[in-house]
Every structure is written in structure tokens, then in C-alpha cells.
Amino acid sequence: MPAKLSVNLNAIAMLRNRRDLPWPDLAHFGRIALTAGASGLTVHPRPDQRHIRFSDLPVLRALIDDAFPEAEFNIEGYPTEEFLALCEATEPEQVTLVPDDPSQATSDHGWDFARHQGFLKTVVARLKGKGMRVSLFADGDGDEQAMALAAQTGADRVELYTGPYGGCYDDPERAAKEIDLLGRTADAAIAHGLAVNAGHDLTVANLPPLALRIPQLAEVSIGHGLTADALEYGMAETVRRFRHACGQKV
């Protein structure tokens, strides 16, 4: 099965927040994306609410529940008590845990699974006890032991951090090496019973080689590149282009 596409709305929210105005409207663009065949929506509500606001969560939850019941809501973030409470109130289908410092501009590394093993076990159990699927942000560096430790937390999936791969858009040789590392990481994750997601700096150009190397890829979460393309092609057509890049029939 081709990877599913979850549209990350953070960049649209950041554009909205430049003014004290209600547009661009997240629910409106989420509706366009889901109507065009996206499988879900992703948000990352940071403590400073610099893009996604806490008040966006019930609105997007209602959009999915009322109009797109087969779609999924994915909330990602660092598991503070405040974040976990937001997840429990919103009940997303998937929670993606990232090891971010609040000051970071964006997620840029995976968990140290050896160091945070006990912490993650507790958080994963809490979220799964509420019926949420849990994915853990992971470096795609080929570390097989890290995937064994990730599986021991009880998580359902890992999301491979594809930033280094996305950063070699002008260096095919380096891109091939990054794909190999990501593929080896995915192979190890799958061998330990974890499903595999991916996200960060993915584009219609670099998605097909990644999907070819990781045919079991379950989901990609894409925001920045998708939003940039939407300025040129419109949201609906951009979603179709990314779905095609995932290998879906469009």
C-alpha cells in the first residue's frame, strides 16, 4: 500500500498569525486538503503558540469528525503535561512525540532512546491507554539498536526524521547515502514490529525515491514543502501532486 499523506498545517497557521485576522483559515485549508484526498491533518502546538494555537485543536477535530470521519488527526509535540492534556482533550488518532526544546524553530533530531527509555515508556502507556496510536520521532541514521530500544517503549510507530535527506536536494550522491541510511533504519524498525512514518523537508521530487526504498512506509507528514507548492498550484492540486509522489493513484 502506498504511504498515506497527512498535511501539516503549521506553516499556514504561521502565516495567519502574522496579523490579528482569521485568515488564512486552517479549517478551510484542511477541508480542501482532505477533499483532495489527504488521509489526515497534522499539527504541532508549541507552548508559545507561534503557529498552531491551542484553540485550533477542537476546530480541526470537529472538521474531521463531522465531514471526514475516515481521516486521522495527528498531533505532534514534546510530551509536557500541558501537551499531554491537550492530546487527551482532543483525542487524536495519532500522537507523534518529538524531543524538541521549546526554543527550536522546528524539529531537527530524533529521541535518544537509551537516555529517555523510562520516560517514553510512561508517556506511551498513558496515551495508548486513552486509545491513541503513538509514534516516536527518530533519527534515520541506520542505528538498528535505537530501533530495538524504540520498540521497547511500547510505541506503535517511529517517524523517521528526513531533514538531512531533504537538505541534499542539490547533491544526488549525498541523497543516495541518506536514503540508504533511512532505509536501513526502516528495515530495523519493521523487524522490531514498528510501523514507519516519515517527515521533514519532503517534496514531490524526493518522495518517490524514498517510497521506493521503503515500500512499507505507512505515512508521510508534510507541511513546509507542501505549503510552498500550494502558493503555485493551489492546495487541492498540490495535495494531488504529493499523493501521486507517494505512489497513490490520483
Side-chain angles (χ1 to χ4, degrees):
M1 292 289 292
K4 294 181 178 180
L5 171 66
S6 184
V7 173
N8 188 313
L9 298 172
N10 290 358
I12 296 173
M14 184 172 286
L15 178 61
R16 175 199 62 190
N17 292 356
R18 293 182 69 246
R19 296 287 187 271
D20 187 22
L21 296 166
W23 61 80
D25 183 286
L26 263 63
H28 174 69
F29 280 95
R31 181 182 293 274
I32 293 173
L34 294 171
T35 299
S39 296
L41 302 175
T42 291
V43 296
H44 186 153
R46 294 178 180 274
D48 61 6
Q49 301 186 69
R50 64 179 178 265
H51 38 65
I52 297 298
R53 297 170 179 159
F54 300 158
S55 58
D56 293 324
L57 302 184
V59 175
L60 296 172
R61 177 75 274 175
L63 169 67
I64 291 173
D65 290 344
D66 295 344
F68 303 93
E70 294 183 1
E72 291 194 349
F73 199 14
N74 173 46
I75 299 180
E76 60 183 25
Y78 184 83
T80 62
E81 183 59 39
E82 182 179 38
F83 174 81
L84 294 173
L86 284 172
C87 291
E88 289 169 340
T90 309
E91 298 182 327
E93 284 71 25
Q94 179 173 264
V95 178
T96 300
L97 302 179
V98 298
D100 280 5
D101 182 279
S103 65
Q104 286 182 222
T106 186
S107 304
D108 62 7
H109 64 283
W111 287 98
D112 180 336
F113 292 110
R115 180 181 178 186
H116 297 110
Q117 182 79 196
F119 173 62
L120 289 172
K121 281 184 178 180
T122 299
V123 173
V124 168
R126 175 173 169 177
L127 293 170
K128 291 184 69 172
K130 299 290 185 178
M132 303 170 215
R133 183 171 69 238
V134 181
S135 180
L136 303 178
F137 209 52
D139 291 317
D141 55 5
D143 187 342
E144 297 182 13
Q145 182 60 26
M147 294 302 96
L149 293 171
Q152 291 171 18
T153 68
D156 304 286
R157 299 185 180 186
V158 290
E159 179 177 327
L160 301 183
Y161 169 53
T162 52
Y165 172 53
C168 14
Y169 56 89
D170 57 351
D171 188 343
E173 184 176 346
R174 183 175 153 223
K177 293 178 181 177
E178 292 294 342
I179 283 183
D180 179 62
L181 290 172
L182 288 163
R184 284 161 48 194
T185 309
D187 292 344
I190 292 166
H192 288 285
L194 293 164
V196 177
N197 297 341
H200 218 86
D201 295 337
L202 294 174
T203 67
V204 292
N206 64 26
L207 253 175
L210 182 68
L212 182 64
R213 174 58 184 85
I214 310 175
Q216 306 96 329
L217 193 60
E219 176 186 289
V220 291
S221 173
I222 305 176
H224 183 82
L226 190 149
T227 304
D229 280 10
L231 295 174
E232 181 174 359
Y233 300 104
M235 176 61 81
E237 179 59 22
T238 296
V239 167
R240 288 188 284 267
R241 284 164 52 83
F242 271 88
R243 287 178 56 211
H244 183 265
C246 288
Q248 298 180 25
K249 293 183 179 179
V250 180

